[in-house]
Amino acid sequence: MSKKSMSKKKRRLRTILVVDALLLAAIIGVVAYQELLRPMELKGGDEVVINLGEEFEDPGTSSKLAEVTGEVDNSTVGDYTITYTRGSTTLTRIVHVVDPSRLVIGLKGSARTLVREGDPYIESGAFAVDKDKGAVPEGEITISGEVDTSKPGTYQVYYNASSGHVTQQVSRTVEVVPKSEFKADTDGIAVLMYHYIYTSKDKPDDLNVNYTIDTDFEAQLKYFVDNGYYFPSFAELRAYVEGKIALPAKSVILTFDDAQHGFFDYGVPLLEKYKVPATSFVIGTQNGVGKIKLRANPYVQFQSHSYDMHKGGGNIGHGGVISAMSQSGITADLKKSFAMTGNTDAFAYPYGDVTNAGKAAVKDAGTKCAFTTVNGKVEKGDDFRCLSRVRVSGGNSLNVFVSRL
């Protein structure tokens, strides 16, 4: 081939390449133009929640031309903004990095709920505390799952609580027991009234019967677990009192008055060890909100010991101010206390002082069970507005303790 022919061929090749390049550029331009004509949308939600330490996988947008700016620090709790820009269009996504341990959820009553065949299923519910914000109202905890008490078997009920972009779930196993196999209580339910827990290395200066040493408390918990005790909820107790359901023969409820630090420091770790639920009756004006947030635990539900009635000023019983208050005043205090605890399940009368106005207020406020300091078991037919409790006296032997159950 002559040099002239080769030169023409090269020129034709260059021309073809230029044309192809121009065509490709045109195609890219058309595609880009069409892309610009389409609205840019976020893939996924405009808010994303990830836990501490979890990698953020950006779902991006519907446009490949978007410029992405912003960073997420998954090692630090906070809200982070990711911005997507394409021309004059700007979209943003908020990424919430949360600490899931901030929200504590627990069951009211036993995790394994026993129901006698044919009895109605009493929903005991769950409780939750946001360590930053306080108690989650019981009405905001969603419940799912069905129980058919006409059919013996095992069922699951689920509880979900949410607060500040954090969600936690807990579940309950409900066992419907054939009526012929259900061993029912016949002599009343012991609702135990504890106060304070201490250790041999941290003895109170005013040591008295209200103080139980941790070793005795552990022996009591071990006895419950080893002997298959059942821990009813207050909703179940109310239904039992009204004759709607039977409760297992070995049933007991643990309550602690005053929300004292020894209970939390030395008692709660033992509740966790043996997986036994308990109730702390907390006083609103004695740093109630702070204690609820600081001491949140899945084995401890907080209930009312009044908001501001745990003080003198009355003229009956132990002189508690409740005896000098009107029904409306007591009701208002109870509702304020219930808003603090997030629960309306139980109320312990301050100093055990009970009045007719107090009993009426308990009903008005929607309380399921109210407790005095009168020593005794709860029996069918009792008035739910003034139920007895079995006082736990420190220093008693395990045999004496068991004899009172």
Side-chain angles (χ1 to χ4, degrees):
M1 183 180 292
S2 66
K3 291 183 178 180
K4 188 174 181 180
S5 297
M6 290 180 64
S7 178
K8 287 182 179 180
K9 187 174 183 180
K10 288 180 179 180
R11 285 197 297 271
R12 284 198 300 270
L13 181 59
R14 283 198 296 269
T15 300
I16 292 172
L17 291 174
V18 169
V19 171
D20 286 348
L22 290 173
L23 181 60
L24 179 60
I27 293 172
I28 292 174
V30 171
V31 171
Y33 179 70
Q34 291 177 337
E35 176 73 15
L36 288 172
L37 289 178
R38 285 194 292 267
M40 182 172 68
E41 299 177 345
L42 289 175
K43 291 183 178 179
D46 57 4
E47 291 189 67
V48 175
V49 178
I50 64 172
N51 293 330
L52 276 172
E54 180 183 350
E55 291 296 329
F56 169 59
E57 297 182 2
D58 191 349
T61 73
S62 60
S63 174
K64 297 179 180 179
L65 302 179
E67 179 183 352
V68 183
T69 57
E71 295 182 353
V72 175
D73 181 359
N74 67 352
S75 67
T76 305
V77 171
D79 300 331
Y80 301 88
T81 301
I82 306 297
T83 303
Y84 309 87
T85 304
R86 189 194 67 182
S88 61
T89 302
T90 299
L91 301 176
T92 59
R93 189 193 318 273
I94 306 299
V95 180
H96 304 283
V97 179
V98 300
D99 179 1
S101 67
R102 193 191 77 218
L103 182 62
V104 176
I105 186 170
L107 293 171
K108 297 176 180 179
S110 287
R112 175 174 168 263
T113 294
L114 302 178
V115 183
R116 184 174 64 180
E117 178 187 5
D119 283 2
Y121 169 62
I122 304 300
E123 179 51 66
S124 295
F127 62 91
V129 175
D130 183 322
K131 292 182 179 179
D132 290 339
K133 300 178 181 180
V136 176
E138 57 190 347
E140 295 181 12
I141 298 176
T142 60
I143 305 172
S144 60
E146 296 183 357
V147 177
D148 183 354
T149 64
S150 69
K151 297 179 180 178
T154 301
Y155 304 83
Q156 290 294 129
V157 180
Y158 300 90
Y159 307 84
N160 285 276
S162 297
S163 181
H165 306 294
V166 179
T167 299
Q168 296 283 21
Q169 183 185 81
V170 68
S171 65
R172 181 192 310 279
T173 298
V174 180
E175 184 177 337
V176 177
V177 182
K179 186 176 291 187
S180 60
E181 299 175 14
F182 190 93
K183 297 180 180 179
D185 163 81
T186 58
D187 62 351
I189 306 299
V191 178
L192 302 180
M193 180 177 65
Y194 291 88
H195 281 80
Y196 320 127
I197 305 295
Y198 73 100
T199 71
S200 60
K201 295 181 179 179
D202 186 12
K203 291 183 179 180
D205 295 333
D206 59 340
L207 184 60
N208 56 56
V209 295
N210 284 332
Y211 288 86
T212 300
I213 194 167
D214 63 332
T215 51
D216 284 351
F217 184 51
E218 179 165 15
Q220 294 162 8
L221 294 178
K222 187 175 186 302
Y223 178 83
F224 292 145
V225 173
D226 290 347
N227 289 276
Y229 268 73
Y230 181 72
F231 307 99
S233 66
F234 294 115
E236 289 176 294
L237 186 68
R238 172 72 175 271
Y240 166 86
V241 165
E242 294 177 344
K244 297 177 180 178
I245 65 170
L247 285 175
K250 294 180 178 179
S251 291
V252 66
I253 296 175
L254 283 68
T255 69
F256 289 79
D257 286 7
D258 304 339
Q260 188 254 6
H261 72 88
F263 161 63
F264 295 110
D265 292 342
Y266 310 125
V268 172
L270 294 173
L271 293 173
E272 292 177 327
K273 177 179 178 180
Y274 290 94
K275 296 180 171 56
V276 173
T279 294
S280 173
F281 284 119
V282 62
I283 304 162
T285 53
Q286 294 184 13
N287 192 30
V289 173
K291 289 178 180 178
I292 290 172
K293 292 193 290 187
L294 179 64
R295 303 293 194 168
N297 186 281
Y299 290 99
V300 180
Q301 60 172 303
F302 291 94
Q303 299 290 347
S304 173
H305 205 11
S306 85
Y307 192 85
D308 190 24
M309 295 189 295
H310 202 281
K311 59 187 180 182
N315 49 27
I316 68 165
H318 295 88
V321 71
I322 191 172
S323 64
M325 296 175 64
S326 66
Q327 177 180 330
S328 61
I330 299 170
T331 300
D333 182 279
L334 285 175
K335 289 184 176 181
K336 189 173 183 180
S337 179
F338 292 157
M340 175 188 68
T341 63
N343 298 296
T344 60
D345 294 75
F347 166 61
Y349 287 94
Y351 308 124
D353 291 340
V354 181
T355 65
N356 288 331
K359 290 190 289 186
V362 161
K363 185 176 181 179
D364 285 347
T367 317
K368 292 184 179 70
C369 297
F371 297 95
T372 71
T373 56
V374 174
N375 192 55
K377 292 183 178 182
V378 174
E379 299 181 2
K380 291 183 178 181
D382 283 351
D383 186 344
F384 76 90
R385 302 173 302 170
C386 52
L387 299 173
S388 301
R389 285 188 286 173
V390 174
R391 177 180 288 274
V392 178
S393 297
N396 283 340
S397 68
L398 181 61
N399 287 337
V400 170
F401 175 83
V402 171
S403 70
R404 306 187 68 191
L405 297 175

